Amino acid sequence: MKKIGFLSFGHWTPSPQSGTRSGADALLQSIDLAVAAEELGADGAYFRVHHFARQLASPFPLLAAAGARTKRIELGTAVIDMRYENPLYMVEDAGAADLIAGGRLQLGISRGSPEQVIDGWRYFGYVPEEGKSDADMARRHAEVFLDLLRGEGFAQPNPRPMFPNPPGLLRLEPFSAGLRDRIWWGAATNATAEWAAKLGMNLQSSTLKFDESGEPLHIQQAGQIRAFRAAWKEAGHAREPRVSVSRSIFALVNDMDRAYFGGSEGQDHFGYIEPERRAVFGRTYAAEPDALIEQLREDEAIAEADTLLLTVPNQLGVAYNAHVIESILKHVAPALGWR
């Protein structure tokens, strides 16, 4: 059995060929797709976070709104770029959204990927410490965020407060119990996956990772997941971790599916998203259901993960994306034992 959700980047463009032409469209359609996915029986609605782009950005208003419109489905991110985040304010936002959703948030965080502007986090007021990199800064923000989510008091109360205080040091409010265990780290390397395990974060592995062996993505990811689980066991955490992988998967069940995705290339690609760091980009799976089932049986990383996130082409509209999700749930997942 696997949890199956969707992952949306929330692209929009004013082009007449797009079904998502504004920021308002992207946000409102994201909420509607979460509602539709829940009705179809999917397990998760996840959203990417990008800054300075015509895509979804600040996630917590969206997560809170989706939480108020749904009852069961998990609501998450994949991922929030921690280079841009004030971890204290983020704790308050996350706690509020999680309480509105009734404890259904699954927050993916990371050091982020290349952005639309140079060092965009500097415009947000963040600069790495002397001798540290932006990745170091992101991991430090993440560590502070995780520590604060424990809900322990740390701030000295005013002896003459405006309102009565509980005894002792004060914590950030609103506090949502259990959210600390629902934080995930988006890891692009084996080493960062192991670091996440030591800190007690779940693992998200995307449709790309830095190339560490020259092997296909699914084989490298499977090794990454095994390294994560070994590090988790060594750290001695009491609970079992969760692991998700993202994939572009389309079951071709009608003429519209074939028109959109019938010509998709079924192979991984190697390239560069950062200077001098080669990455492997995962293939698109697009085939008739019977053929798709056989292809997915061979994906070692999907087999290792407990959660599968389906990347959706959000600009094709809510109805079509709901169809994409339903096709996987109905025509593919049962044959693979995912349902």
Side-chain angles (χ1 to χ4, degrees), residues 91-268:
V91 165
E92 294 181 344
D93 276 351
D98 194 44
L99 291 172
I100 290 170
R104 289 182 283 131
L105 259 59
Q106 301 284 342
L107 293 180
I109 64 176
S110 186
R111 75 102 169 173
S113 60
E115 295 290 317
Q116 298 297 106
V117 300
I118 298 171
D119 295 347
W121 28 270
R122 293 184 184 273
Y123 295 97
F124 278 55
Y126 301 113
V127 178
E129 297 176 7
E130 185 71 26
K132 301 290 186 180
S133 69
D134 61 317
D136 294 328
M137 179 175 67
R139 286 188 281 270
R140 177 56 184 156
H141 286 182
E143 290 168 349
V144 173
F145 177 64
L146 293 171
D147 186 56
L148 294 172
L149 282 176
R150 300 182 191 281
E152 298 174 358
F154 64 92
Q156 189 68 40
N158 188 335
R160 292 183 291 278
M162 182 178 294
F163 307 105
N165 282 324
L169 299 177
L170 301 183
R171 67 185 183 189
L172 293 168
E173 302 286 358
F175 173 69
S176 186
L179 181 56
R180 171 63 178 78
D181 290 341
R182 288 179 273 117
I183 307 302
W184 307 57
W185 184 260
T189 66
N190 289 12
T192 52
E194 293 169 357
W195 172 81
K198 292 174 184 177
L199 269 65
M201 287 186 280
N202 303 306
L203 175 66
Q204 288 181 337
S205 198
S206 181
T207 50
L208 67 87
K209 72 180 292 293
F210 288 118
D211 177 28
E212 298 182 84
S213 69
E215 296 171 298
L217 173 70
H218 75 101
I219 294 176
Q220 293 201 45
Q221 273 189 327
Q224 181 191 49
I225 293 168
R226 289 190 287 270
F228 167 80
R229 290 205 170 109
W232 184 281
K233 182 177 180 180
E234 183 178 351
H237 301 302
R239 65 179 178 87
E240 287 296 313
R242 288 182 60 183
V243 175
S244 74
V245 295
S246 304
R247 290 290 186 272
S248 297
I249 305 174
F250 302 97
L252 307 183
V253 300
N254 61 31
D255 289 341
M256 185 175 290
D257 298 330
R258 297 181 190 98
Y260 282 137
F261 301 107
S264 300
E265 294 187 24
Q267 60 184 8
D268 292 347

Side-chain angles (χ1 to χ4, degrees), residues 63-120:
L63 294 172
R69 287 277 307 277
T70 57
K71 296 181 179 179
R72 177 192 58 80
I73 197 168
E74 294 179 345
L75 301 164
T77 53
V79 289
I80 298 172
D81 188 335
M82 293 302 291
R83 295 176 297 181
Y84 288 77
E85 295 296 324
N86 176 329
L88 283 82
Y89 197 80
M90 187 176 170
V91 165
E92 294 181 344
D93 276 351
D98 194 44
L99 291 172
I100 290 170
R104 289 182 283 131
L105 259 59
Q106 301 284 342
L107 293 180
I109 64 176
S110 186
R111 75 102 169 173
S113 60
E115 295 290 317
Q116 298 297 106
V117 300
I118 298 171
D119 295 347

